């Protein structure tokens, strides 16, 4: 088992990227999870929209003169996302009241499990 986590920002405005590799992840164990759901044709696009948003932040960090640890180490292949995998998305979208409510990409965490590589990828953005 291995773990690599990279972060950019502090306190309330930060972005995290983590890669957790396991010896074995069994789809049968994830099927009964209270959190993870198996990807389907219907929700793959939603997962990719969060990853696209995350990559916009990584791109912004990459353009800074002092390259951040996160930008330097970010490497995710979106072609890994398929119907054999599992995801859990935790978002604050809609929380709060009126103009103060959170938008879709203002505070989220995506936990994506790629079964073929026994890897959990963690994407977090809180702007």
């Amino acid at each position: 088992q291995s773990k690599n986590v990279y972060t950019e920002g502090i306190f309330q405005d930060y972005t995290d990227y983590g890669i957790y590799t396991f010896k074995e992840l069994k789809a049968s164990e994830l099927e009964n999870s209270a959190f993870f759901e198996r990807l389907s044709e219907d929700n793959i696009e939603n997962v990719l929209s969060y990853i696209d948003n995350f990559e916009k932040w990584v791109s912004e960090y990459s353009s800074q003169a002092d390259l951040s640890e996160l930008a330097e180490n970010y490497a995710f292949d979106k072609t890994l996302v398929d119907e054999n995998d599992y995801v859990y998305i935790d978002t604050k979208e809609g929380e709060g009241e009126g103009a103060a409510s959170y938008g879709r990409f203002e505070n989220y965490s995506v936990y994506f499990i790629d079964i073929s590589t026994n890897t959990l990828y963690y994407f977090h953005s809180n702007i």
Side-chain angles (χ1 to χ4, degrees):
Q1 181 173 331
S2 68
K3 168 180 97 171
N4 293 299
V5 179
Y6 308 101
T7 211
E8 175 64 31
I10 57 172
F11 191 50
Q12 291 183 329
D13 297 325
Y14 65 97
T15 306
D16 295 324
Y17 173 62
I19 307 164
Y20 302 83
T21 305
F22 299 90
K23 289 181 183 177
E24 183 178 19
L25 288 170
K26 294 183 181 180
S28 59
E29 293 174 4
L30 293 167
E31 286 293 331
N32 299 318
S33 169
F35 298 99
F36 287 95
E37 66 177 295
R38 188 171 185 156
L39 286 174
S40 67
E41 189 176 313
D42 295 334
N43 62 3
I44 287 176
E45 206 168 300
N46 184 47
V47 172
L48 291 174
S49 71
Y50 281 96
I51 295 170
D52 287 343
N53 176 267
F54 185 86
E55 288 182 347
K56 287 178 186 175
W57 287 106
V58 173
S59 178
E60 186 171 312
Y61 301 140
S62 296
S63 67
Q64 298 173 359
D66 186 19
L67 192 61
S68 75
E69 179 184 55
L70 186 147
E72 191 173 314
N73 290 286
Y74 180 78
F76 181 75
D77 179 2
K78 289 188 275 190
T79 64
L80 291 174
V81 181
D82 63 37
E83 294 180 14
N84 295 313
D85 301 321
Y86 290 81
V87 69
Y88 171 64
I89 299 173
D90 183 22
T91 178
K92 290 192 175 187
E93 180 181 7
E95 290 183 20
E97 297 194 22
S101 69
Y102 284 93
R104 181 163 186 223
F105 296 120
E106 290 182 359
N107 190 326
Y108 63 85
S109 297
V110 174
Y111 301 82
F112 168 73
I113 295 178
D114 178 41
I115 290 293
S116 66
T117 61
N118 294 312
T119 305
L120 180 142
Y121 294 91
Y122 170 66
F123 306 87
H124 174 79
S125 183
N126 177 16
I127 56 166

